[in-house]
Amino acid sequence: MRNKFLLLVLAISLFTSCVEKDTGKVLYLGHTLPQAHPVHKGVLEFKKALESKSNGTLKVKIFPDAQLGSEREVLELLQIGSVAATKVSAATLSNFVPEYHIFGIPYLFRDQAHKFEVLEGEIGKEILEKGSKFWLRGLCYYDAGSRSFYTSKKAIRTPEDLKGLKIRVMNNQMAINMVNSMGGSATPLAYGELYTAIQQGVVDGAENNPPSFVSSNHYEISKYYTLDEHSSIPDVLLIGTKYWEGLSEEEKVWVQEAADESAQAQKVFWNESVEASMKTAIDWGVEVIIPEKSLFSEKSKSVLEEFIKEYPEMAPIVNQIKNQ
C-alpha cells in the first residue's frame, strides 16, 4: 500500500512538471470528503475564483474522496511539495501545528457570530500563519458546524444521562477528556467502523455535526440527537509553503482572495446542508433534543484547565478568544 502511495506521488510530480510547461501553474488539491459535501463545494468555488482571477494562468486540479490518501498523508505531501493544497480538520492539523488544538476546547465560542468573529479576525489569521514554519500555510477556515451527541437507546438531556454510556470519539485526547469529564465513557474508534459498532451495541452513541450524522447513515440506528453543540472545530484550507514560495506576489494575492471568497460561499453551502440533514433525520423519526448547554459547559471546564497546564503558552490566545 505504501509503495502504491509513493508511486502515485511520483506520478503526480512528473505530471505536474509537464503540465506547468504547457499550460501554466497547476495547483493540485487533495482532500478526503465526497463530492456532495458542502466543503467540497467550497473547494470548487476556490477553483472557480482562482482560475478567473488569474485568467487561467493558475489552474486547480481537485482530488476528492481521499484519492491521494488520508488527511495526514496529504499534509505530508504538502510538506514535501508533491501536492500544493488540501482541506483538513483543525483536529488533524493540530498534530502538526499545536495552536490548532485550541479549537477543540469545549464551548470555546459563545455562538456562531463569535466563532466567525474569531476565525476571520486577527486571532484566526495569526493561527493560520503559525503553520508556515511547518510548511503548511493556512489560507482560510471552512465551517464544519458543531459536534453534538447522538445515541441509540437512551436520550441525553443532561450530562448525568451520559453516565454509563460508551461514546465514540476521535482518537484525540481533548475529545476523550471532554466525554469523560461529562460522565460518559469515551471510546476511540475508527469512523468507518462506527455504524456497525452502534448497531451491535459496541458503543452506545457518538458525536458529530448534522451533515456527518446523516451522510454516514447513523440516523438510521440512532433514536436521539442532542444538540448540545459542545465543540466547533473548523476545517482549514491550506497551501504548502513550497508551492506558495514559487508564486509571484500578484499570484499570492489571487490565491488568498480566492480562498477568502470560497470561505464565504462555503458558509452558505454548510447551512443548506445542515437544514437538509436535520429534515432527513426528523423525517426518519429521530428525536431532536435541545438541552440546557450551560450544564454541559460547566461539566467540561476541567478540559480547558488540563489544556492550559499542558500548553501554558497558549493561555493568552484562549483568553483573547474568550474575551473577544
Side-chain angles (χ1 to χ4, degrees), residues 273-293:
S273 181
V274 168
E275 185 177 338
S277 298
M278 292 303 296
K279 183 179 186 308
T280 297
I282 291 169
D283 288 348
W284 186 266
V286 174
E287 181 183 348
V288 176
I289 299 159
I290 310 295
E292 178 53 61
K293 293 181 186 178

Side-chain angles (χ1 to χ4, degrees), residues 5 11-13 40 61 74 82 90 106 119 138 150 158 160 171 196 210 231 237 241-242 270 272 280 284 320 323:
F5 180 65
I12 291 171
S13 299
H40 178 74
K61 175 66 176 174
V74 179
S82 294
L119 295 180
Y150 53 90
T158 69
E160 284 66 34
N171 190 15
T196 302
S231 63
L237 183 63
T241 57
K242 290 185 182 294
W270 183 266
E272 291 172 348
T280 297
W284 186 266
Q320 276 184 282
N323 296 327

Side-chain angles (χ1 to χ4, degrees), residues 146-251:
S146 298
R147 301 176 74 92
S148 295
F149 293 114
Y150 53 90
T151 46
S152 58
K153 296 177 182 177
K154 178 184 176 183
I156 298 172
R157 302 182 192 279
T158 69
E160 284 66 34
D161 294 324
L162 279 162
K163 290 180 180 177
L165 297 186
K166 290 178 287 185
I167 303 295
R168 181 268 175 185
V169 294
M170 298 179 288
N171 190 15
N172 173 283
Q173 194 57 51
M174 194 175 291
I176 293 169
N177 292 347
M178 179 199 66
V179 170
N180 290 341
S181 72
M182 292 182 184
S185 178
T187 308
L189 187 71
Y191 192 63
E193 300 172 11
L194 183 51
Y195 188 101
T196 302
I198 295 174
Q199 194 174 43
Q200 296 180 351
V202 175
V203 295
D204 300 297
E207 44 90 51
N208 217 322
N209 55 59
S212 296
F213 177 55
V214 170
S215 64
S216 61
N217 296 321
H218 293 169
Y219 69 97
E220 297 174 351
I221 50 174
S222 301
K223 294 181 181 179
Y224 309 101
Y225 193 21
T226 303
L227 297 180
D228 64 298
E229 299 182 323
H230 46 256
S231 63
S232 298
I233 304 173
D235 283 337
V236 185
L237 183 63
L238 294 159
I239 191 166
T241 57
K242 290 185 182 294
Y243 185 91
W244 178 260
E245 290 166 1
L247 298 175
S248 68
E249 291 306 310
E250 185 177 37
E251 289 169 336

